[in-house]
Amino acid sequence: MNLLDIILLALSLAMDCFTVSIVSGAILRQWQRPTIFRIAFFFGFFQALMPLLGWLVMRLFATHVETYGHWIAFLLLLFVGGRMVWETFSDQSDEHHAFNPCQLITQLLLAVATSIDALAVGAGMAVTGYDSMALLTWPLVIIGLVSLLLSLLGHWLGIRFGRIACRKLRPELLGGIILILIGLKVLLSGL
């Protein structure tokens, strides 16, 4: 993947963080610096950590799947992207009101939950040319920073525009479509 692909991947992975941050900001209704920066840090950290964990696990099995690596990456990205698109249209009425963004345990659970997709992406990276930790460093940094920044932006939007922003924006749909397109590109370049 080139730099543009990595940035697009980072943006698509950060859409869950962005969405949760908008909701969190709408619930907070004011700029609570420690809470918002802690959430943004956790989101960025786990978005960078999960691809690393997926990469490490996949590296253990890479010799067995090198022939089919482009197919594996495509299927993983298709699954994650398809799930994000599906979730955009599923009925999730008021479940976002069930959490308190000020609690540390809630922040950690949200950070892990929004970064599970990145685990699959890391596994896909292990079979698409990222065969050393040195090659993986910058993509992980970019993924983490983009998630952190979009989390801050999401909080600002949530505070500024409240519940209206939650209904009007469809960032998970855009993120899912981007992941599917990157998967197609990986598949076509491997054929």
Side-chain angles (χ1 to χ4, degrees):
M1 283 190 273
N2 60 34
L3 181 60
L4 179 60
D5 289 341
I6 293 168
I7 291 171
L8 289 174
L9 177 65
L11 286 169
S12 65
L13 288 174
M15 287 300 127
D16 285 346
C17 299
F18 181 66
T19 303
V20 171
S21 296
I22 291 172
V23 174
S24 177
I27 290 170
L28 292 173
R29 298 184 192 260
Q30 61 184 351
W31 193 259
Q32 297 178 18
R33 189 170 289 152
T35 299
I36 291 169
F37 281 104
R38 190 171 47 240
I39 292 171
F41 170 78
F42 286 149
F43 281 178
F45 176 76
F46 280 97
Q47 285 290 347
L49 177 66
M50 289 300 195
L52 175 62
L53 294 177
W55 180 85
L56 288 170
V57 168
M58 196 61 171
R59 291 303 298 160
L60 297 173
F61 304 105
T63 57
H64 303 290
V65 295
E66 282 182 18
T67 307
Y68 304 104
H70 55 282
W71 280 101
I72 292 170
F74 166 70
L75 291 173
L76 288 171
L77 290 168
L78 179 65
F79 172 74
V80 172
R83 200 180 99 220
M84 289 173 72
V85 170
W86 176 262
E87 287 174 358
T88 301
F89 297 107
S90 67
D91 183 29
Q92 300 174 353
S93 51
D94 282 336
E95 90 182 34
H96 56 76
H97 294 294
F99 70 88
N100 178 356
C102 295
Q103 294 178 340
L104 180 63
I105 189 69
T106 301
Q107 295 166 4
L108 288 169
L109 289 174
L110 289 173
V112 171
T114 58
S115 64
I116 294 297
D117 298 349
L119 190 68
V121 170
M125 292 173 94
V127 294
T128 57
Y130 289 89
D131 50 2
S132 73
M133 196 68 103
L135 290 174
L136 200 60
T137 302
W138 278 111
L140 295 180
V141 168
I142 292 169
I143 288 169
L145 285 176
V146 167
S147 295
L148 183 140
L149 293 173
L150 281 182
S151 177
L152 292 173
L153 176 62
H155 276 95
W156 180 80
L157 286 172
I159 292 166
R160 182 96 168 127
F161 300 107
R163 297 176 202 280
I164 294 169
C166 293
R167 280 185 242 127
K168 300 254 182 201
L169 293 175
R170 296 273 190 182
E172 288 180 335
L173 175 63
L174 179 61
I177 291 169
I178 290 171
L179 280 178
I180 292 168
L181 291 175
I182 290 172
L184 283 172
K185 180 182 177 196
V186 168
L187 177 63
L188 293 175
S189 67
L191 293 178

